[in-house]
Amino acid sequence: MMASSIFNDCSSSCTLPFNNKIQLRFHHLGQSVHLHINPTRPYIGLRQVASLTTTVAMTSETSAKVIDGKLVAKQIRDEITSEISKMKEAIGIDPGLAVVLVGDRKDSATYVRNKKKACETVGITSYESHLPEDCTEEEVLKCISKYNEDPSVHGILVQLPLPRHMNEENILNAVKIDKDVDGFHPLNIGRLAMRGREPLFVPCTPKGCIELLHRYNISIKGKRAVVIGRSNIVGMPAALLLQREDATVSIIHSRTENPEEITREADIIISAVGQPNMVRGSWIKPGAVIIDVGINPVDDPKSPRGYRLVGDVCYEEACKIASAITPVPGGVGPMTIAMLLSNTLTSAKRVYNFV
Amino acid sequence: MMASSIFNDCSSSCTLPFNNKIQLRFHHLGQSVHLHINPTRPYIGLRQVASLTTTVAMTSETSAKVIDGKLVAKQIRDEITSEISKMKEAIGIDPGLAVVLVGDRKDSATYVRNKKKACETVGITSYESHLPEDCTEEEVLKCISKYNEDPSVHGILVQLPLPRHMNEENILNAVKIDKDVDGFHPLNIGRLAMRGREPLFVPCTPKGCIELLHRYNISIKGKRAVVIGRSNIVGMPAALLLQREDATVSIIHSRTENPEEITREADIIISAVGQPNMVRGSWIKPGAVIIDVGINPVDDPKSPRGYRLVGDVCYEEACKIASAITPVPGGVGPMTIAMLLSNTLTSAKRVYNFV
C-alpha cells in the first residue's frame, strides 16, 4: 500500500476501511494530509476539499502583502491638492462641499469634523449646517434646497443616520443629482447597475475598495469576487462596481446558507457586514485578495480606551493565507474620505467643464 | 488493493500510478466512477468533483417537471381580465397602453402586433404610434411627450431596438417614470437594486421568470442562484430580483473564466445569453431548476420554416438532470407579455388608487 517512493516531495497512502469510506493520506510539503471520501455519497463536500487546501496553505511561511489604505489615501489627497491648485490658478474656482448634520450623535460629529479637516488639507471649501435633533424634515429639506441652489457648493453630503422621525429616502432624494457626491441617489445606483450608462458619482466606500485594487495592480477582470454584505452604501454598489470591471460576482448575505464555502471560491473578497472576525482563515482560498470594510470595536482591557478596532476578517488567520489584505484600521477607512474629496473635485470640474 | 467486498452497493479500487496522481475507481449505482487526485496540487478541481456528480445523476431515470409558461401566462391574463372588468365596473376606467414603434423591422412589428392583441384580450385599450425609420429623435420624443400627458395612457412602451441614429438612453429616459411599464428607467433599476426601496415597475421578462418560480412553489430564499448574462433588460434585473428574494446570487458573463463550474453550484439557473444550447447537462447540478430565457433560431431542414427555436440550455440533456425546466418555446416567452399587461394594470390602479 505504501508508495512514497514514486512521489518527488510527497508520500502517500490509501486505505479502504470498514466504514464505507475511502481514506487518502499523503504527505505534502512536510504536512500530513487526510482526505475522506464516502463513495455512497460521491459528491465530495467542498468543506472537505477546502479544509484540505487551507491545512496545506496555513503551514506555508508566506505572509500577505498589506494593502496600505492610509498611504494610498495620502497619495490621492496629494493628487487632489495639486489638481485643485491648478484649477484655482486657471479659472479662479475652488470646489465646495456642504455637510448637513442633524442631531448630536458623537460618532457623526467626529465623522463630519474629519471630513471638514480633510477638505481643508486639499483646498476644498467646506460648508456646514448643524440642525438640532428635534428639527423637522422640512427644515432639513430647506437646508438641502439652499445648497442645491448655491453655485459655490459642488457636493452635498447628508450625514447618516438621520433621527428616527425623518424619512431618509425623501431627504436623500432631495439632493440635486449633480451634487450627490455620496452617490446614494437611486438614479446614480441605477446607472451604476446598467451597462452603457455612467453614474455621475460612485458611492465613496466601495469606490475606495476598487481604487485600492487598482493602485496595487490587482486585476479584477475575469476573477471570481465575493461581496459579503448587501447594504445600499457598501455591499450592493461594491458588487455592481466589481461587475462593471468584469469580475464574476457572488453576493453573500444573512440568508446565505453556506457563506464559508462560497467565500472560499473567491479570488477577491470584499467584506462589509460589521461582524468582528467573522471571516476566518478557513473561509479563504490561498492567494485571495481581501478588502475588509468592517470597523468593529471589540473589548480590549489592555487598550487605554478599553476596546480596539477589528475588521470583519480575522486578520491573524487571513494574513497567512491571503496574498494581500487591508488592515483595520488603516485599510479602507481612510479611502472613504479620499473618495469623497475626489467626487467633490469631479463635480466642480464638471460644472466648469475643466479637464 | 481490491476491497469491493466491504462495500454494500459499490465496488472500489485505489491505485497509485507513476504520474504522481492518485486514482480512485469505484462503482456506484452500477456506474463506474473515476476520481483523479494530484497530491502535488491537493485542491481537487470542482470540475472533477462535479463531473462525478453528474455522471451518477445522468444515469437516473428521473425527468424534470416542465414549467408551462403558456399555461401560467393564460392564468395571469385571466386574472387581469377579471380585475379590469371589476375596475371598469367600479370606476368606469380601463387601462391604456401606448406602443411607440420606429422603423420597419419585421420582428419588431410582430412583437407590437402581439402586444396589441394581448391588450385586447384582457380589456386594455392600446394606442400605437408608428414612426418612419428616418424620423428624427425629436419626433420620437414629441410622441412620447404626448402620451406622457395623456391621462388615458397608463403605460408607454418604446419598442427596441431603435434606429441607429437615435440615442436610446435619451428616448427611454423621456418616458415619464410612472408610465415606464417596461421598468427600464435607471430610477426604477436603482430602486430595484436598493434595499428598502420599491421600483414602480419591474422589467417584464425577469419579472416573468420570478413569477414562474412563485407559481410553481419553487422557494428562492437562501438558494444559490446563477444568472447567465448581464443585459440591462434581463440578466441584470433578474439578478437583482433574485437577491431581493434572498437568494445568494452569482452572475456569469462573457468574461467569466469557468461558467460551467459556477453554474453547477446553482439551485436555480436563469439563462439569458442568446447562445443556442450553450448550457449542457454537465453544467447542471442534479435537481436544479432552470429558467431558460433564450429563444434562438437554429437551422432545421425538417421544419417547414427551415429553422426551429431552441433555448440557451440544451433541453434534451437538462431535462434528465434538472428537477424543473422551462421549455423553448412556451416557457418564459409568453410570460413577458403577461407581465407587461400586469404592469399596465398596476399603473392604472395606482393612478386611481384602486386596490
Side-chain angles (χ1 to χ4, degrees), chain A residues 14 43 230 246-247 250 253 256, chain B residues 14 53 230 246-248 250 253:
Chain A
C14 180
Y43 194 100
R230 51 174 169 172
D246 288 333
S250 303
H253 47 77
T256 297
Chain B
C14 181
T53 321
R230 50 173 169 174
D246 289 334
T248 299
S250 304
H253 48 75

Side-chain angles (χ1 to χ4, degrees), chain B residues 6-247:
Chain B
I6 62 168
F7 289 95
N8 286 331
D9 61 350
C10 302
S11 66
S12 169
S13 68
C14 181
T15 56
L16 295 169
F18 290 100
N19 62 354
N20 250 11
K21 292 187 178 179
I22 298 164
Q23 287 189 5
L24 274 173
R25 202 180 315 136
F26 53 87
H27 285 79
H28 176 73
L29 302 175
Q31 287 294 311
S32 174
V33 176
H34 297 256
L35 177 62
H36 302 263
I37 302 170
N38 182 349
T40 62
R41 196 171 144 270
Y43 194 102
I44 296 170
L46 277 179
R47 188 175 302 268
Q48 292 167 298
V49 173
S51 68
L52 172 69
T53 321
T54 47
T55 303
V56 174
M58 285 179 73
T59 61
S60 77
E61 296 300 312
T62 57
S63 185
K65 180 192 271 284
V66 177
I67 298 176
D68 188 342
K70 215 168 157 181
L71 183 74
V72 173
K74 165 99 175 59
Q75 285 169 357
I76 292 171
R77 281 198 308 273
D78 289 348
E79 291 161 16
I80 292 173
T81 306
S82 140
E83 279 204 71
I84 288 177
S85 91
K86 268 188 225 153
M87 187 163 130
K88 208 162 183 168
E89 207 168 285
I91 58 171
I93 296 289
D94 51 339
L97 175 68
V99 183
V100 179
L101 174 63
V102 186
D104 300 308
R105 283 180 67 118
K106 262 177 91 177
D107 56 347
S108 290
T110 306
Y111 294 139
V112 169
R113 198 165 48 243
N114 289 343
K115 286 166 188 172
K116 285 179 71 175
K117 222 162 69 183
C119 281
E120 273 169 39
T121 65
V122 297
I124 291 175
T125 306
S126 67
Y127 303 84
E128 187 189 333
S129 288
H130 188 171
L131 299 170
E133 176 81 21
D134 61 354
C135 75
T136 64
E137 202 171 304
E138 284 64 41
E139 287 172 285
V140 181
L141 292 172
K142 215 170 130 188
C143 174
I144 291 173
S145 165
K146 179 187 74 185
Y147 288 130
N148 277 342
E149 302 311 318
D150 186 342
S152 56
V153 169
H154 306 101
I156 301 170
L157 185 143
V158 181
Q159 184 65 44
L160 299 179
L162 288 161
R164 282 171 177 272
H165 66 282
M166 290 183 186
N167 184 323
E168 183 184 297
E169 182 174 353
N170 281 350
I171 288 174
L172 291 183
N173 284 355
V175 174
K176 215 172 155 184
I177 176 93
D178 40 12
K179 297 190 180 186
D180 175 36
V181 284
D182 254 342
F184 292 159
H185 195 289
L187 198 54
N188 263 327
I189 298 291
R191 289 185 183 169
L192 190 64
M194 294 170 88
R195 301 191 77 193
R197 306 294 172 91
E198 289 299 327
L200 288 168
F201 303 102
V202 173
C204 301
T205 302
K207 188 180 177 183
C209 296
I210 303 299
E211 189 67 27
L212 284 175
L213 296 174
H214 288 172
R215 300 249 171 177
Y216 276 82
N217 290 317
I218 294 159
S219 77
I220 302 175
K221 190 171 180 166
K223 292 286 181 294
R224 280 201 77 174
V226 162
V227 176
I228 311 178
R230 50 173 169 174
S231 68
N232 288 342
I233 58 175
V234 188
M236 180 268 290
L240 297 177
L241 278 171
L242 286 165
Q243 172 137 312
R244 278 181 98 85
E245 303 235 357
D246 289 334

Side-chain angles (χ1 to χ4, degrees), chain A residues 85-246:
Chain A
S85 91
K86 269 187 223 152
M87 187 166 132
K88 210 163 181 168
E89 209 168 284
I91 59 173
I93 296 290
D94 51 340
L97 175 68
V99 182
V100 179
L101 173 64
V102 186
D104 299 308
R105 283 180 66 117
K106 261 176 91 177
D107 55 347
S108 291
T110 306
Y111 294 139
V112 168
R113 199 166 49 242
N114 290 342
K115 286 167 189 172
K116 285 179 71 175
K117 222 162 72 184
C119 281
E120 273 170 37
T121 65
V122 298
I124 292 175
T125 306
S126 67
Y127 304 84
E128 187 189 334
S129 289
H130 189 171
L131 300 169
E133 177 81 21
D134 61 354
C135 75
T136 65
E137 202 172 302
E138 284 64 42
E139 288 173 284
V140 181
L141 291 172
K142 214 170 130 187
C143 174
I144 292 172
S145 165
K146 179 187 75 183
Y147 289 131
N148 277 341
E149 302 309 319
D150 186 342
S152 57
V153 169
H154 306 100
I156 302 169
L157 185 144
V158 181
Q159 185 65 43
L160 298 180
L162 288 162
R164 281 170 178 273
H165 66 281
M166 291 184 186
N167 183 323
E168 184 184 297
E169 183 175 353
N170 281 350
I171 289 173
L172 291 184
N173 284 355
V175 174
K176 215 171 154 183
I177 176 93
D178 40 14
K179 297 189 180 187
D180 175 36
V181 285
D182 255 341
F184 292 160
H185 196 289
L187 198 54
N188 262 328
I189 297 292
R191 289 185 183 168
L192 191 63
M194 294 172 87
R195 301 191 77 192
R197 305 294 172 91
E198 290 298 328
L200 288 168
F201 302 102
V202 173
C204 300
T205 303
K207 187 179 177 184
C209 296
I210 303 299
E211 189 68 27
L212 284 176
L213 295 174
H214 287 171
R215 299 250 172 175
Y216 276 83
N217 290 317
I218 294 159
S219 78
I220 302 174
K221 190 171 180 167
K223 293 286 181 294
R224 280 201 78 176
V226 161
V227 176
I228 311 177
R230 51 174 169 172
S231 68
N232 287 342
I233 58 174
V234 188
M236 179 269 289
L240 296 177
L241 277 171
L242 287 166
Q243 172 138 313
R244 277 181 98 85
E245 303 235 356
D246 288 333

